[in-house]
Amino acid sequence: MAHLDPVAFVRWFRGSSPYIHSHRGKTFVIYCGGEAAADPGFASLLHDIALLNSLGIRLVLVHGIRPQIDARLQARGAQAQYHAGLRVTDRTALECVKEAAGTVRVEIEALLSMGLANSPMAGSRIRVASGNFVVAKPVGVRDGVDFQHTGEVRRIDAEGIRAALDRGDVVVLSAVGYSPTGEIFNLRSEQVATAAAIALRADKLLLLVEEGGLTRPDGAPIRQLTTGEARGLLAEAGALSPELAPHLTVAIQACEQGVKRAHLLDRRIDGVLLLELFTRDGVGTLVSLAPFESLRPAQVQDVPGILELLLPLERKGVLVPRSRERLETDIDDYRVIERDGTIIGCAALHRFPGTDMGELACLVLHPDYRGEKRGERLLAHIEGAARAAGLQRLFALTTQTAHWFRERGFEPADVADLPEARRAVYNPRRNSKVLIKRL
């Protein structure tokens, strides 16, 4: 066993605590394909799902069965039939669908029932609920092809699922639906997951995909997308593999119909759910209707986050200490970068009536986010606000970052060049450099 670094563990555990609190009581729909169920690591994935349940998260697990159906068809000497990417489910295929769905569901129930002392689920008591929660209708005939027992989701029994979630059950849905006439239909599991997430107004739809995560042309992972940006990516020829495009499509659909966030995750990463849900940046691609990270005017409720951001630099003497009362008084001067509910950057524009000058103050970024030009974004935002206020010059006082400002158009100046009100509170003992930029 590798040596456990206690300091790193404590730091990680403390860092995960805000997410533990924020996720408790929320409803997550998790999708995985039939490939996951056939993988030897499936037990570890279900152990992580059990852990999420123990943390008070309301869980719906939707599983696919495509490879299991194909294997049963092959064993019977039958050929899998597809048209326009959709399975044609004849009577033989339907028998394979029922067998595959029942087998995988039972395996899931068995794995979620483990409670051995030497297992990751020692002491757990998890109930699994499954049943006729999905009402389906036939696809019918398309392009002259009769899809027979292939169906579409007509309705999700959201009330029945919520009742099971209220009891603390993990709800398991297969890619099978039932009609009011008693017929059974084979469904696309991604459609079941999306429809369930929308019907439940889920907080998250977590899509565990087989093809890896979304990346940029240079290979860098794409960590977040708005639905508009995601649509643009879908429209780019060759930007996405044929396997990933459908998953991104349902993520967009879910977010545009009331699901707060959808995540595309590489199923093959061990512990991918935990890494995505309990670390600030995650390991997948987050899709949301609104930006995951925003630059906006500060509000009074942001003061604790701003103070936490400033405190390390105040202790080092880089910044002059600011009290909570002063921040609350000056809060209208501040702009913040918020990322997933955490303040990771701030800057302030202080005005001096009767002058054409403003002060750029408190430009600070969290150490983990000093990149991707966030400092430049804050500076540009403050400069824009200064111009809008009719100011012609912007000045900054700094003890350690003069070169950063020089590289962005600020010129060295003297204390005598500052507005009188600012000169009056200048501290000679700090010997801060004065830099001024003409707007």
Side-chain angles (χ1 to χ4, degrees):
M1 179 180 294
H3 174 67
L4 175 66
D5 181 347
V7 175
F9 172 78
V10 169
R11 186 184 300 115
W12 171 84
F13 198 76
R14 287 172 176 165
S16 69
S17 61
Y19 302 100
I20 294 173
H21 293 303
S22 66
H23 295 333
R24 184 176 293 118
K26 300 297 177 61
T27 299
F28 294 176
V29 176
I30 301 172
Y31 159 83
C32 66
E35 294 83 359
D39 191 287
F42 191 50
S44 295
L45 174 62
L46 288 182
H47 294 161
D48 289 345
I49 288 173
L51 175 58
L52 299 181
N53 173 261
S54 73
L55 294 172
I57 300 172
R58 297 155 59 90
L59 296 172
V60 177
L61 173 61
V62 181
H63 67 88
I65 49 175
R66 184 190 59 78
Q68 288 82 358
I69 296 171
D70 288 344
R72 283 166 171 78
L73 284 170
Q74 186 177 12
R76 295 183 184 212
Q79 187 74 29
Q81 303 175 59
Y82 290 88
H83 178 74
L86 191 60
R87 185 188 296 275
V88 178
T89 311
D90 58 19
R91 293 184 64 179
T92 300
L94 182 61
E95 290 303 312
C96 296
V97 168
K98 292 190 286 186
E99 289 177 11
T103 299
V104 174
R105 178 174 56 80
V106 168
E107 289 173 353
I108 290 172
E109 291 176 356
L111 289 168
L112 288 176
S113 300
M114 287 179 62
L116 298 177
N118 61 345
S119 77
M121 293 174 56
S124 65
R125 296 290 184 272
I126 296 175
R127 290 190 301 266
V128 178
S130 58
N132 58 342
F133 293 122
V134 182
V135 180
K137 61 182 180 181
V139 166
V141 178
R142 295 181 182 178
D143 301 326
V145 176
D146 186 353
F147 282 87
Q148 302 182 56
H149 300 283
T150 299
E152 295 178 333
V153 176
R154 179 178 178 182
R155 182 175 60 83
I156 298 292
D157 180 8
E159 183 179 352
I161 293 175
R162 288 194 188 99
L165 295 175
D166 289 343
R167 296 193 301 267
D169 298 356
V170 173
V171 174
V172 175
L173 302 180
S174 303
V176 175
Y178 309 92
S179 73
T181 59
E183 294 177 274
I184 301 170
F185 290 101
N186 175 38
L187 309 175
R188 286 178 54 239
S189 50
E190 299 97 322
Q191 187 190 46
V192 174
T194 307
I198 293 169
L200 293 168
R201 308 288 290 183
D203 297 279
K204 290 184 184 292
L205 170 61
L206 298 149
L207 300 161
L208 303 182
V209 301
E210 301 295 318
E211 303 80 22
L214 298 179
T215 57
R216 304 190 187 281
D218 62 0
I222 299 175
R223 290 295 179 221
Q224 65 224 28
L225 290 169
T226 63
T227 51
E229 291 168 339
R231 286 193 180 279
L233 197 61
L234 284 171
E236 289 182 30
L240 292 174
S241 68
E243 293 79 15
L244 274 176
H247 293 106
L248 186 58
T249 299
V250 299
I252 295 169
Q253 178 189 355
C255 291
E256 291 182 341
Q257 295 188 48
V259 177
K260 293 180 181 177
R261 291 175 180 172
H263 303 247
L264 271 67
L265 308 174
D266 185 346
R267 191 266 305 172
R268 298 165 298 181
I269 298 174
D270 184 32
V272 67
L273 289 172
L274 306 182
L275 290 167
E276 180 70 7
L277 295 172
F278 298 104
T279 62
R280 185 177 291 131
D281 294 321
V283 294
T285 301
L286 181 148
V287 180
S288 61
L289 199 59
F292 176 61
E293 179 177 306
S294 61
L295 197 165
R296 59 170 177 77
Q299 302 170 350
V300 171
Q301 54 265 37
D302 297 321
V303 168
I306 296 173
L307 283 171
E308 185 176 348
L309 197 62
L310 302 182
L311 186 59
L313 295 178
E314 291 176 353
R315 286 174 174 167
K316 293 178 180 179
V318 176
L319 291 178
V320 176
R322 288 164 173 79
S323 67
R324 178 183 293 267
E325 292 75 16
R326 180 180 171 187
L327 278 173
E328 290 178 353
T329 301
D330 295 341
I331 196 64
D332 291 339
D333 293 352
Y334 282 79
R335 302 293 185 271
V336 295
I337 297 178
E338 179 185 7
R339 182 179 177 85
D340 196 23
T342 300
I343 304 301
I344 65 166
C346 70
L349 172 64
H350 300 314
R351 299 171 179 84
F352 296 86
T355 75
D356 67 352
M357 300 183 74
E359 180 180 8
L360 168 61
C362 268
L363 199 162
V364 178
L365 290 170
H366 189 284
D368 293 344
Y369 296 96
R370 290 173 185 166
E372 302 182 25
K373 298 192 178 297
R374 291 184 177 90
E376 283 82 352
R377 285 176 57 206
L378 279 167
L379 174 59
H381 193 83
I382 293 296
E383 288 180 357
R387 291 190 187 95
L391 303 180
Q392 298 180 19
R393 291 178 293 169
L394 193 63
F395 70 87
L397 274 65
T398 181
T399 58
Q400 298 185 20
T401 57
H403 280 201
W404 189 89
F405 287 103
R406 289 292 307 276
E407 291 166 5
R408 287 154 183 83
F410 285 77
E411 297 292 338
D414 296 322
V415 176
D417 297 319
L418 297 176
E420 183 178 353
R422 189 65 180 87
R423 290 200 306 270
V425 294
Y426 178 84
N427 184 354
R429 295 180 60 185
R430 285 182 57 80
N431 195 27
S432 299
K433 301 288 185 181
V434 178
L435 299 111
I436 297 179
K437 181 176 183 178
R438 188 166 293 279
L439 300 174

